[in-house]
C-alpha cells in the first residue's frame, strides 16, 4: 500500500465511522476502497470488520445520554446480535462467495419500508392492541439475531435494518433507537473481528487505518446525528439505504 493509498483508506475509515454512527452502511464506503487498493474481497471484508468495530463503540459512547435506562435492553439484544454475528462470521468463512447476494437487497428494502411506514404500522397495530413496546419481545430479539447473522457475514446496511425493526417493535424516540443501534452494531463488528482474527488473514495495515478513521468518524457522527431532527434522520436512513441497494445490485 502506497502513502496516498493509505491516506485514502484512512479517509474512508473516517467517512465510514461517521455514516455508521448516524445511520449505518459505512461498509459501503470503506469496503470498495479496500478493494480499490488491491485487497481481495474476503481479505477486504474481514479487515474492514476488524477496523470498524472501535468506531461503533465510540459512536455509542457519544450517544451515552440517549442510552440511559437501556442497559437491560442492550444486554438482551446484544446477546442476540452477538450470537447472530458468530453464525454470520462462520458462514462467511464456509459458504461460497455471493451466497447472500440475492437476499441482502430484499432485507434492505424491507428495512426502508419499515423506516418510512413504521410509525403508521405501529399506530395501526396499537389501535388493535399490539404494536411497538418498551420491553424486548421475541420478535425483536429474533430480528436482532437475524440482523447479527447478516452483519457478521457482510455488515453493509445492518444499521438500516436495525432502525427499521426498532421502529416497528420498539416504542422509543428515533435518537434513543439510534443509540441502541450503535451498541448492537459494535457488538456484531467485535464478534466478527475476533473470529476473523483467530481464523483468517487480516491486512493489519488496512485494518489499523480503518480503525483510526472509524474512531474519529464515530466522534464526528455522534455530534452530527444527535443534532438531526427525527424527520432528517429518517430521510438520511432512506437515502443511505437506497444507495446500499444500488451498490449491491450493480
Amino acid at each position: 500500500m502506497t502513502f496516498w493509498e493509505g491516506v485514502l483508506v484512512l479517509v474512508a475509515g473516517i467517512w465510514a465511522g461517521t455514516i455508521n454512527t448516524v445511520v449505518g452502511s459505512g461498509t459501503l464506503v470503506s469496503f470498495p476502497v479496500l478493494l480499490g487498493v488491491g485487497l481481495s474481497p474476503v481479505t477486504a471484508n474481514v479487515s474492514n470488520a476488524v477496523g470498524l468495530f472501535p468506531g461503533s463503540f465510540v459512536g455509542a459512547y457519544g450517544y451515552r445520554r440517549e442510552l440511559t435506562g437501556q442497559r437491560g435492553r442492550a444486554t438482551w439484544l446484544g446477546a442476540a446480535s452477538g450470537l447472530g454475528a458468530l453464525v454470520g462470521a462462520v458462514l462467511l468463512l464456509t459458504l461460497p462467495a455471493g451466497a447472500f447476494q440475492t437476499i441482502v437487497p430484499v432485507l434492505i428494502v424491507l428495512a426502508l419500508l419499515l423506516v418510512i411506514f413504521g410509525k403508521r404500522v405501529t399506530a395501526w397495530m396499537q389501535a388493535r392492541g399490539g404494536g411497538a413496546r418498551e420491553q424486548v419481545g421475541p420478535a425483536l430479539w429474533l430480528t436482532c439475531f437475524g440482523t447479527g447473522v447478516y452483519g457478521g457475514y457482510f455488515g453493509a446496511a445492518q444499521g438500516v435494518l436495525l432502525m427499521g425493526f426498532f421502529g416497528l417493535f420498539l416504542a422509543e424516540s428515533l435518537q434513543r433507537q439510534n443509540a441502541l443501534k450503535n451498541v448492537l452494531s459494535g457488538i456484531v463488528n467485535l464478534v466478527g473481528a475476533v473470529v476473523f482474527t483467530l481464523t483468517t488473514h487480516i491486512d493489519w495495515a488496512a485494518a489499523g487505518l480503518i480503525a483510526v478513521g472509524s474512531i474519529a468518524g464515530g466522534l464526528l457522527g455522534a455530534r452530527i446525528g444527535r443534532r438531526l431532527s427525527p424527520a432528517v434522520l429518517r430521510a438520511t436512513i432512506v437515502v443511505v439505504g437506497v444507495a446500499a441497494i444500488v451498490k449491491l445490485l450493480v
Side-chain angles (χ1 to χ4, degrees):
M1 187 185 304
T2 67
F3 172 79
W4 291 113
E5 287 176 339
V7 171
L8 181 61
V9 171
L10 177 63
V11 172
I14 297 173
W15 191 1
T18 302
I19 293 176
N20 275 344
T21 302
V22 176
V23 182
S25 295
T27 291
L28 295 177
V29 175
S30 52
F31 179 70
V33 169
L34 293 180
L35 293 178
V37 300
L39 274 65
S40 69
V42 173
T43 300
N45 193 21
V46 297
S47 301
N48 185 64
V50 171
L52 286 179
F53 87 83
S56 299
F57 287 115
V58 169
Y61 177 77
Y63 271 88
R64 59 192 179 279
R65 186 173 66 194
E66 287 77 11
L67 286 170
T68 302
Q70 298 201 76
R71 176 177 297 180
R73 179 186 295 151
T75 299
W76 282 105
L77 296 182
S81 295
L83 289 173
L86 180 61
V87 173
V90 172
L91 289 175
L92 176 65
L93 299 174
T94 57
L95 290 179
F100 281 3
Q101 188 170 358
T102 56
I103 192 63
V104 168
V106 176
L107 291 174
I108 299 175
V109 169
L110 173 61
L112 292 179
L113 291 175
L114 292 175
V115 169
I116 296 170
F117 300 109
K119 291 182 66 176
R120 297 179 186 178
V121 173
T122 298
W124 181 84
M125 294 176 69
Q126 288 175 337
R128 287 154 181 78
R133 297 174 294 175
E134 293 185 3
Q135 301 301 318
V136 175
L140 181 56
W141 198 94
L142 289 173
T143 54
C144 286
F145 173 80
T147 304
V149 174
Y150 168 62
Y153 186 88
F154 182 47
Q158 65 169 314
V160 176
L161 288 169
L162 285 171
M163 291 298 287
F165 290 130
F166 287 167
L168 185 60
F169 295 119
L170 197 58
E172 287 286 5
S173 70
L174 207 62
Q175 293 291 359
R176 281 174 64 81
Q177 292 175 14
N178 202 33
L180 182 61
K181 176 266 294 179
N182 286 329
V183 173
L184 301 189
S185 296
I187 291 172
V188 169
N189 290 333
L190 174 60
V191 171
V194 171
V195 172
F196 299 146
T197 299
L198 296 176
T199 59
T200 191
H201 171 68
I202 307 292
D203 188 311
W204 288 107
L209 289 169
I210 292 290
V212 172
S214 72
I215 290 171
L219 293 171
L220 180 62
R223 286 180 172 270
I224 295 173
R226 293 175 73 244
R227 296 179 180 178
L228 296 178
S229 69
V232 173
L233 183 56
R234 188 173 287 108
T236 304
I237 293 170
V238 172
V239 170
V240 173
V242 171
I245 295 170
V246 172
K247 185 67 180 180
L248 291 169
L249 292 178
V250 173

Coordinates of all heavy atoms in Angstrom, one line a residue, residues 18-109:
T18 N -18.4 7.8 10.5 CA -19.4 8.8 10.6 C -20.7 8.3 10.2 O -21.8 8.4 10.9 CB -19.0 10.1 9.8 OG1 -17.7 10.5 10.2 CG2 -20.0 11.2 9.9
I19 N -20.8 7.7 9.0 CA -22.1 7.2 8.5 C -22.6 6.1 9.4 O -23.8 6.0 9.7 CB -21.9 6.6 7.1 CG1 -21.5 7.8 6.1 CG2 -23.1 5.9 6.6 CD1 -21.2 7.3 4.7
N20 N -21.7 5.2 9.9 CA -22.2 4.1 10.8 C -22.9 4.7 12.0 O -23.9 4.1 12.5 CB -21.0 3.2 11.2 CG -20.8 2.1 10.2 OD1 -21.6 1.8 9.3 ND2 -19.6 1.5 10.2
T21 N -22.3 5.7 12.6 CA -22.9 6.3 13.8 C -24.2 7.0 13.5 O -25.1 6.8 14.3 CB -21.9 7.3 14.4 OG1 -20.6 6.6 14.7 CG2 -22.4 7.9 15.7
V22 N -24.3 7.7 12.4 CA -25.5 8.4 12.1 C -26.6 7.5 11.6 O -27.8 7.6 12.0 CB -25.2 9.5 11.1 CG1 -26.5 10.2 10.7 CG2 -24.2 10.5 11.6
V23 N -26.3 6.6 10.8 CA -27.2 5.7 10.1 C -26.8 4.2 10.1 O -27.5 3.4 10.6 CB -27.5 6.2 8.6 CG1 -28.6 5.3 8.0 CG2 -27.9 7.6 8.6
G24 N -25.7 4.0 9.5 CA -25.3 2.6 9.2 C -24.8 2.6 7.8 O -25.0 3.6 7.0
S25 N -24.3 1.5 7.3 CA -23.9 1.3 5.9 C -22.5 1.9 5.6 O -22.2 2.1 4.4 CB -24.9 1.9 4.9 OG -26.1 1.1 5.0
G26 N -21.7 2.2 6.6 CA -20.4 2.7 6.4 C -19.5 1.7 5.6 O -18.6 2.1 4.9
T27 N -19.8 0.4 5.7 CA -19.1 -0.6 4.9 C -19.2 -0.3 3.4 O -18.2 -0.6 2.7 CB -19.7 -2.0 5.2 OG1 -19.3 -2.3 6.6 CG2 -19.1 -3.0 4.3
L28 N -20.3 0.3 3.0 CA -20.4 0.6 1.5 C -19.4 1.7 1.1 O -19.2 1.9 -0.1 CB -21.8 1.0 1.2 CG -22.9 -0.1 1.4 CD1 -24.3 0.5 1.1 CD2 -22.6 -1.3 0.5
V29 N -18.8 2.4 2.0 CA -17.7 3.3 1.7 C -16.4 2.7 1.8 O -15.6 2.8 0.9 CB -17.8 4.6 2.6 CG1 -16.6 5.5 2.4 CG2 -19.1 5.3 2.5
S30 N -16.1 2.0 2.9 CA -14.8 1.5 3.2 C -14.4 0.3 2.4 O -13.3 0.1 1.9 CB -14.6 1.3 4.7 OG -15.6 0.5 5.2
F31 N -15.4 -0.6 2.2 CA -15.1 -1.9 1.5 C -14.7 -1.7 0.1 O -13.7 -2.3 -0.3 CB -16.4 -2.8 1.6 CG -16.2 -4.1 0.9 CD1 -15.4 -5.1 1.4 CD2 -16.9 -4.4 -0.3 CE1 -15.3 -6.3 0.8 CE2 -16.8 -5.6 -0.9 CZ -16.0 -6.6 -0.4
P32 N -15.4 -0.9 -0.7 CA -14.9 -0.7 -2.1 C -13.5 0.0 -2.1 O -12.7 -0.3 -3.1 CB -16.0 0.3 -2.7 CG -17.2 0.1 -1.9 CD -16.7 -0.2 -0.5
V33 N -13.2 0.9 -1.2 CA -11.9 1.5 -1.2 C -10.8 0.4 -0.9 O -9.7 0.4 -1.6 CB -11.8 2.6 -0.1 CG1 -10.4 3.1 0.1 CG2 -12.7 3.8 -0.5
L34 N -11.1 -0.5 0.0 CA -10.1 -1.6 0.3 C -9.9 -2.5 -1.0 O -8.8 -2.9 -1.3 CB -10.5 -2.4 1.5 CG -10.5 -1.7 2.8 CD1 -11.0 -2.6 3.9 CD2 -9.1 -1.1 3.1
L35 N -11.0 -2.7 -1.7 CA -10.9 -3.4 -3.0 C -10.0 -2.6 -3.9 O -9.2 -3.2 -4.7 CB -12.2 -3.7 -3.6 CG -13.2 -4.7 -2.8 CD1 -14.5 -4.8 -3.5 CD2 -12.5 -6.1 -2.7
G36 N -10.2 -1.3 -4.0 CA -9.5 -0.5 -4.9 C -8.0 -0.4 -4.7 O -7.3 -0.1 -5.6
V37 N -7.6 -0.6 -3.4 CA -6.1 -0.5 -3.2 C -5.5 -1.9 -3.3 O -4.3 -2.1 -2.9 CB -5.9 0.1 -1.8 CG1 -6.4 1.5 -1.7 CG2 -6.4 -0.8 -0.6
G38 N -6.3 -2.9 -3.8 CA -5.7 -4.2 -4.1 C -6.0 -5.4 -3.2 O -5.5 -6.5 -3.4
L39 N -6.8 -5.2 -2.2 CA -7.1 -6.3 -1.3 C -8.1 -7.2 -2.0 O -9.0 -6.8 -2.7 CB -7.7 -5.9 0.0 CG -6.6 -5.5 1.1 CD1 -5.8 -4.4 0.7 CD2 -7.4 -5.3 2.4
S40 N -8.0 -8.5 -1.7 CA -9.0 -9.5 -2.3 C -10.4 -9.2 -1.5 O -10.4 -8.7 -0.4 CB -8.6 -10.9 -2.0 OG -8.6 -11.2 -0.7
P41 N -11.5 -9.7 -2.1 CA -12.8 -9.4 -1.5 C -12.9 -9.9 -0.1 O -13.4 -9.2 0.8 CB -13.8 -10.1 -2.4 CG -13.1 -10.0 -3.8 CD -11.7 -10.2 -3.5
V42 N -12.5 -11.1 0.2 CA -12.6 -11.7 1.5 C -11.7 -11.0 2.5 O -12.1 -10.6 3.6 CB -12.3 -13.2 1.5 CG1 -12.2 -13.8 3.0 CG2 -13.3 -14.0 0.7
T43 N -10.4 -10.7 2.1 CA -9.5 -10.0 3.0 C -10.0 -8.6 3.2 O -9.9 -8.1 4.4 CB -8.1 -10.0 2.3 OG1 -7.6 -11.3 2.1 CG2 -7.1 -9.2 3.2
A44 N -10.5 -7.9 2.2 CA -11.1 -6.6 2.4 C -12.2 -6.6 3.4 O -12.3 -5.8 4.2 CB -11.5 -6.0 1.1
N45 N -13.1 -7.6 3.3 CA -14.3 -7.7 4.1 C -13.9 -7.9 5.6 O -14.4 -7.2 6.5 CB -15.2 -8.9 3.7 CG -16.5 -8.8 4.3 OD1 -17.0 -7.8 4.8 ND2 -17.2 -10.0 4.3
V46 N -13.0 -8.9 5.8 CA -12.6 -9.2 7.2 C -11.8 -8.1 7.8 O -11.9 -7.7 9.0 CB -11.9 -10.5 7.3 CG1 -12.8 -11.6 6.9 CG2 -10.6 -10.6 6.5
S47 N -10.9 -7.5 7.0 CA -10.1 -6.3 7.5 C -10.9 -5.1 7.8 O -10.7 -4.4 8.8 CB -9.0 -6.0 6.5 OG -8.1 -7.1 6.2
N48 N -11.9 -4.9 7.0 CA -12.9 -3.8 7.2 C -13.7 -4.1 8.5 O -13.8 -3.1 9.3 CB -13.8 -3.8 6.1 CG -14.8 -2.6 6.1 OD1 -14.3 -1.4 6.1 ND2 -16.1 -2.9 6.2
A49 N -14.1 -5.3 8.8 CA -14.8 -5.6 10.0 C -14.0 -5.3 11.2 O -14.4 -4.8 12.2 CB -15.3 -7.0 10.0
V50 N -12.7 -5.8 11.2 CA -11.8 -5.5 12.3 C -11.6 -4.1 12.5 O -11.5 -3.6 13.7 CB -10.5 -6.2 12.0 CG1 -9.4 -5.9 13.1 CG2 -10.6 -7.8 12.0
G51 N -11.5 -3.3 11.5 CA -11.2 -1.9 11.6 C -12.4 -1.1 12.1 O -12.2 0.0 12.8
L52 N -13.6 -1.5 11.8 CA -14.8 -0.6 12.1 C -15.3 -0.8 13.5 O -16.0 0.1 13.9 CB -15.9 -1.0 11.0 CG -15.7 -0.4 9.6 CD1 -16.9 -0.8 8.8 CD2 -15.6 1.1 9.6
F53 N -15.1 -1.9 14.2 CA -15.7 -2.1 15.4 C -15.4 -1.0 16.5 O -16.2 -0.6 17.3 CB -15.5 -3.5 16.0 CG -14.3 -3.7 16.8 CD1 -14.2 -3.4 18.1 CD2 -13.1 -4.2 16.2 CE1 -13.1 -3.6 18.9 CE2 -12.0 -4.4 16.9 CZ -11.9 -4.1 18.3
P54 N -14.1 -0.5 16.5 CA -13.9 0.6 17.6 C -14.7 1.8 17.4 O -15.2 2.4 18.3 CB -12.4 0.9 17.4 CG -11.8 -0.3 16.7 CD -12.9 -0.8 15.8
G55 N -15.0 2.2 16.1 CA -15.8 3.3 15.8 C -17.2 3.2 16.3 O -17.8 4.2 16.7
S56 N -17.8 2.0 16.2 CA -19.1 1.8 16.6 C -19.3 2.0 18.1 O -20.2 2.6 18.6 CB -19.6 0.3 16.3 OG -19.5 0.1 14.9
F57 N -18.3 1.6 18.9 CA -18.4 1.8 20.4 C -18.1 3.3 20.7 O -18.7 3.8 21.7 CB -17.4 0.9 21.1 CG -17.8 -0.6 21.1 CD1 -17.1 -1.5 20.4 CD2 -19.0 -0.9 21.7 CE1 -17.5 -2.8 20.4 CE2 -19.4 -2.3 21.7 CZ -18.6 -3.2 21.1
V58 N -17.3 3.9 20.0 CA -17.0 5.3 20.2 C -18.3 6.1 19.9 O -18.7 7.0 20.6 CB -15.9 5.9 19.3 CG1 -15.8 7.4 19.3 CG2 -14.6 5.3 19.8
G59 N -19.0 5.7 18.8 CA -20.3 6.3 18.5 C -21.3 6.1 19.5 O -22.1 7.0 19.9
A60 N -21.4 4.9 20.1 CA -22.3 4.6 21.2 C -22.0 5.4 22.4 O -22.9 5.9 23.1 CB -22.2 3.1 21.5
Y61 N -20.7 5.6 22.7 CA -20.3 6.5 23.8 C -20.8 7.9 23.6 O -21.3 8.6 24.5 CB -18.8 6.4 24.0 CG -18.3 7.4 25.1 CD1 -18.5 7.0 26.5 CD2 -17.8 8.6 24.9 CE1 -18.1 7.8 27.5 CE2 -17.3 9.4 25.9 CZ -17.5 9.0 27.2 OH -17.1 9.9 28.2
G62 N -20.7 8.4 22.4 CA -21.2 9.7 22.0 C -22.7 9.8 22.3 O -23.2 10.9 22.5
Y63 N -23.4 8.7 22.2 CA -24.8 8.7 22.4 C -25.2 8.2 23.8 O -26.3 7.8 24.1 CB -25.5 7.7 21.4 CG -25.9 8.4 20.1 CD1 -25.1 8.5 19.0 CD2 -27.2 8.9 20.0 CE1 -25.4 9.0 17.8 CE2 -27.6 9.5 18.8 CZ -26.7 9.5 17.7 OH -27.1 10.1 16.5
R64 N -24.2 8.3 24.8 CA -24.5 7.7 26.1 C -25.7 8.3 26.8 O -26.3 7.7 27.6 CB -23.2 7.9 26.9 CG -22.7 9.3 27.2 CD -21.3 9.4 27.8 NE -20.8 10.7 28.0 CZ -20.3 11.5 27.0 NH1 -20.2 11.0 25.8 NH2 -19.9 12.7 27.3
R65 N -26.0 9.6 26.6 CA -27.2 10.2 27.2 C -28.4 9.5 26.7 O -29.3 9.3 27.5 CB -27.2 11.7 26.8 CG -28.3 12.5 27.6 CD -28.2 13.9 27.3 NE -28.5 14.2 25.9 CZ -28.2 15.4 25.3 NH1 -27.6 16.4 26.0 NH2 -28.5 15.6 24.0
E66 N -28.5 9.2 25.4 CA -29.7 8.5 24.9 C -29.7 7.0 25.3 O -30.8 6.4 25.2 CB -29.7 8.6 23.4 CG -30.1 10.0 22.8 CD -28.9 11.0 22.9 OE1 -27.8 10.6 23.2 OE2 -29.1 12.2 22.7
L67 N -28.6 6.5 25.8 CA -28.6 5.1 26.3 C -29.1 5.0 27.7 O -29.2 3.8 28.2 CB -27.2 4.5 26.1 CG -26.7 4.2 24.7 CD1 -25.3 3.9 24.7 CD2 -27.5 3.0 24.1
T68 N -29.3 6.1 28.4 CA -29.7 6.0 29.8 C -31.0 5.2 29.9 O -32.0 5.5 29.2 CB -29.9 7.4 30.3 OG1 -28.7 8.2 30.2 CG2 -30.4 7.4 31.8
G69 N -31.0 4.2 30.8 CA -32.2 3.4 31.0 C -32.3 2.2 30.0 O -33.3 1.5 30.1
Q70 N -31.4 2.0 29.2 CA -31.5 1.0 28.2 C -30.5 -0.2 28.4 O -30.3 -1.0 27.5 CB -31.2 1.5 26.8 CG -32.2 2.6 26.3 CD -32.3 2.7 24.8 OE1 -32.8 1.9 24.1 NE2 -31.7 3.8 24.3
R71 N -29.9 -0.2 29.6 CA -28.9 -1.2 29.9 C -29.4 -2.7 29.7 O -28.8 -3.5 29.0 CB -28.3 -1.1 31.3 CG -27.3 -2.2 31.6 CD -26.7 -1.9 33.0 NE -25.9 -0.7 33.0 CZ -25.3 -0.2 34.1 NH1 -25.3 -0.9 35.2 NH2 -24.6 0.9 34.1
G72 N -30.6 -2.9 30.3 CA -31.2 -4.3 30.2 C -31.5 -4.6 28.8 O -31.3 -5.7 28.3
R73 N -32.1 -3.7 28.1 CA -32.5 -3.9 26.7 C -31.2 -4.2 25.8 O -31.2 -5.1 25.0 CB -33.2 -2.7 26.2 CG -33.7 -2.8 24.7 CD -34.3 -1.5 24.3 NE -35.5 -1.2 25.0 CZ -36.0 0.0 25.3 NH1 -35.3 1.1 25.0 NH2 -37.1 0.1 26.0
A74 N -30.2 -3.4 26.0 CA -29.0 -3.5 25.3 C -28.3 -4.8 25.6 O -27.7 -5.5 24.7 CB -28.0 -2.4 25.6
T75 N -28.4 -5.3 26.8 CA -27.8 -6.6 27.2 C -28.5 -7.8 26.5 O -27.9 -8.6 25.9 CB -27.9 -6.9 28.7 OG1 -27.2 -5.8 29.4 CG2 -27.3 -8.2 29.1
W76 N -29.9 -7.8 26.5 CA -30.6 -8.9 25.9 C -30.5 -8.9 24.3 O -30.2 -9.9 23.7 CB -32.1 -8.8 26.2 CG -32.3 -9.4 27.6 CD1 -32.6 -8.7 28.7 CD2 -32.3 -10.8 28.0 NE1 -32.8 -9.5 29.8 CE2 -32.6 -10.8 29.4 CE3 -32.1 -12.0 27.3 CZ2 -32.6 -12.0 30.1 CZ3 -32.1 -13.2 28.0 CH2 -32.4 -13.2 29.4
L77 N -30.6 -7.7 23.8 CA -30.5 -7.6 22.3 C -29.0 -7.7 21.9 O -28.8 -8.2 20.8 CB -31.1 -6.2 21.8 CG -32.6 -6.1 22.1 CD1 -33.0 -4.7 21.5 CD2 -33.4 -7.2 21.4
G78 N -28.1 -7.3 22.7 CA -26.7 -7.5 22.4 C -26.3 -9.0 22.4 O -25.5 -9.4 21.5
A79 N -27.0 -9.8 23.3 CA -26.7 -11.2 23.2 C -27.2 -11.8 21.9 O -26.6 -12.7 21.3 CB -27.4 -11.9 24.4
A80 N -28.4 -11.3 21.4 CA -28.9 -11.8 20.1 C -28.0 -11.4 19.0 O -27.7 -12.2 18.1 CB -30.3 -11.2 19.9
S81 N -27.6 -10.2 19.0 CA -26.7 -9.7 18.0 C -25.4 -10.4 17.9 O -24.8 -10.8 16.9 CB -26.4 -8.2 18.1 OG -27.6 -7.4 18.0
G82 N -24.8 -10.7 19.1 CA -23.5 -11.3 19.2 C -23.6 -12.8 18.7 O -22.7 -13.2 18.0
L83 N -24.6 -13.5 19.1 CA -24.8 -14.9 18.6 C -25.0 -14.9 17.1 O -24.5 -15.7 16.4 CB -26.0 -15.5 19.3 CG -25.9 -15.8 20.8 CD1 -27.2 -16.3 21.4 CD2 -24.8 -16.9 21.0
G84 N -25.8 -14.0 16.6 CA -26.0 -13.9 15.2 C -24.8 -13.6 14.5 O -24.5 -14.2 13.4
A85 N -24.0 -12.7 15.0 CA -22.7 -12.3 14.4 C -21.8 -13.5 14.3 O -21.0 -13.7 13.3 CB -22.0 -11.2 15.1
L86 N -21.7 -14.3 15.3 CA -20.9 -15.5 15.3 C -21.3 -16.5 14.2 O -20.5 -17.0 13.5 CB -21.0 -16.2 16.7 CG -20.2 -17.5 16.9 CD1 -18.7 -17.2 16.7 CD2 -20.5 -18.1 18.2
V87 N -22.6 -16.7 14.0 CA -23.1 -17.5 13.0 C -22.7 -16.9 11.6 O -22.3 -17.6 10.7 CB -24.6 -17.7 13.1 CG1 -25.2 -18.4 11.9 CG2 -25.0 -18.4 14.3
G88 N -22.9 -15.6 11.5 CA -22.6 -14.9 10.2 C -21.2 -15.0 9.8 O -20.8 -15.2 8.7
A89 N -20.3 -14.8 10.8 CA -18.9 -14.9 10.5 C -18.4 -16.3 10.1 O -17.6 -16.4 9.2 CB -18.1 -14.4 11.8
V90 N -19.0 -17.3 10.7 CA -18.7 -18.7 10.4 C -19.2 -18.9 8.9 O -18.5 -19.6 8.1 CB -19.3 -19.7 11.4 CG1 -19.2 -21.1 10.9 CG2 -18.6 -19.5 12.7
L91 N -20.4 -18.4 8.6 CA -20.9 -18.6 7.3 C -20.0 -17.9 6.2 O -19.8 -18.5 5.1 CB -22.3 -18.0 7.2 CG -23.4 -18.8 7.9 CD1 -24.8 -18.0 7.8 CD2 -23.6 -20.2 7.3
L92 N -19.5 -16.8 6.5 CA -18.6 -16.1 5.6 C -17.4 -16.9 5.3 O -16.9 -17.0 4.2 CB -18.1 -14.8 6.2 CG -17.1 -14.0 5.4 CD1 -17.7 -13.5 4.0 CD2 -16.6 -12.8 6.1
L93 N -16.9 -17.6 6.3 CA -15.7 -18.5 6.1 C -16.0 -19.8 5.5 O -15.0 -20.5 5.0 CB -15.0 -18.7 7.5 CG -14.5 -17.4 8.2 CD1 -14.0 -17.7 9.6 CD2 -13.5 -16.7 7.3
T94 N -17.2 -20.2 5.4 CA -17.5 -21.6 4.9 C -18.4 -21.6 3.6 O -18.3 -22.5 2.8 CB -18.3 -22.4 6.0 OG1 -19.5 -21.7 6.4 CG2 -17.4 -22.6 7.2
L95 N -19.3 -20.6 3.4 CA -20.2 -20.6 2.3 C -19.5 -20.0 1.1 O -18.5 -19.2 1.2 CB -21.4 -19.8 2.6 CG -22.4 -20.4 3.6 CD1 -23.6 -19.5 3.7 CD2 -22.9 -21.8 3.1
P96 N -20.0 -20.4 -0.1 CA -19.4 -19.8 -1.4 C -19.7 -18.3 -1.4 O -20.6 -17.8 -0.8 CB -20.2 -20.5 -2.5 CG -20.8 -21.7 -1.9 CD -21.0 -21.4 -0.4
A97 N -18.8 -17.6 -2.0 CA -18.9 -16.1 -2.1 C -20.2 -15.8 -2.9 O -20.6 -16.4 -3.8 CB -17.7 -15.5 -2.9
G98 N -20.9 -14.8 -2.4 CA -22.1 -14.3 -3.1 C -23.3 -15.1 -2.7 O -24.4 -14.9 -3.3
A99 N -23.3 -16.0 -1.6 CA -24.4 -16.8 -1.3 C -25.6 -15.9 -0.8 O -26.7 -16.3 -1.0 CB -24.0 -17.8 -0.2
F100 N -25.3 -14.8 -0.2 CA -26.4 -13.9 0.3 C -26.8 -12.8 -0.6 O -27.6 -12.0 -0.3 CB -26.0 -13.3 1.7 CG -26.1 -14.2 2.8 CD1 -26.4 -15.5 2.7 CD2 -25.8 -13.7 4.1 CE1 -26.5 -16.4 3.8 CE2 -25.9 -14.6 5.2 CZ -26.2 -15.9 5.1
Q101 N -26.2 -12.8 -1.8 CA -26.3 -11.6 -2.7 C -27.8 -11.4 -3.1 O -28.2 -10.2 -3.3 CB -25.5 -11.8 -4.0 CG -25.4 -10.6 -4.8 CD -24.4 -10.7 -5.9 OE1 -23.7 -11.7 -6.0 NE2 -24.3 -9.7 -6.8
T102 N -28.6 -12.4 -3.2 CA -30.0 -12.2 -3.7 C -30.9 -11.8 -2.5 O -31.8 -11.0 -2.7 CB -30.5 -13.5 -4.2 OG1 -30.4 -14.6 -3.3 CG2 -29.8 -13.9 -5.5
I103 N -30.6 -12.2 -1.3 CA -31.5 -11.9 -0.2 C -31.1 -10.5 0.4 O -32.0 -9.8 1.0 CB -31.4 -13.0 0.9 CG1 -32.5 -12.8 1.9 CG2 -30.1 -13.0 1.6 CD1 -33.9 -12.9 1.4
V104 N -29.9 -10.1 0.4 CA -29.5 -8.8 1.0 C -30.3 -7.6 0.5 O -30.8 -6.8 1.3 CB -28.0 -8.6 0.9 CG1 -27.6 -7.2 1.3 CG2 -27.2 -9.6 1.7
P105 N -30.4 -7.4 -0.8 CA -31.3 -6.2 -1.2 C -32.7 -6.3 -0.7 O -33.3 -5.3 -0.4 CB -31.2 -6.3 -2.8 CG -29.9 -7.1 -3.0 CD -29.8 -8.1 -1.9
V106 N -33.3 -7.5 -0.7 CA -34.6 -7.7 -0.2 C -34.7 -7.2 1.3 O -35.7 -6.6 1.7 CB -35.1 -9.2 -0.3 CG1 -36.5 -9.3 0.3 CG2 -35.1 -9.6 -1.8
L107 N -33.7 -7.6 2.1 CA -33.7 -7.2 3.5 C -33.6 -5.7 3.7 O -34.3 -5.1 4.5 CB -32.5 -7.9 4.2 CG -32.6 -9.4 4.4 CD1 -31.3 -9.9 5.0 CD2 -33.8 -9.8 5.3
I108 N -32.8 -5.1 2.8 CA -32.7 -3.6 2.9 C -34.0 -2.9 2.5 O -34.4 -1.9 3.1 CB -31.5 -3.1 2.1 CG1 -30.2 -3.8 2.6 CG2 -31.4 -1.6 2.1 CD1 -29.0 -3.5 1.7
V109 N -34.6 -3.4 1.4 CA -35.9 -2.9 1.0 C -36.9 -2.9 2.2 O -37.6 -2.0 2.4 CB -36.4 -3.6 -0.2 CG1 -37.9 -3.2 -0.5 CG2 -35.6 -3.2 -1.5

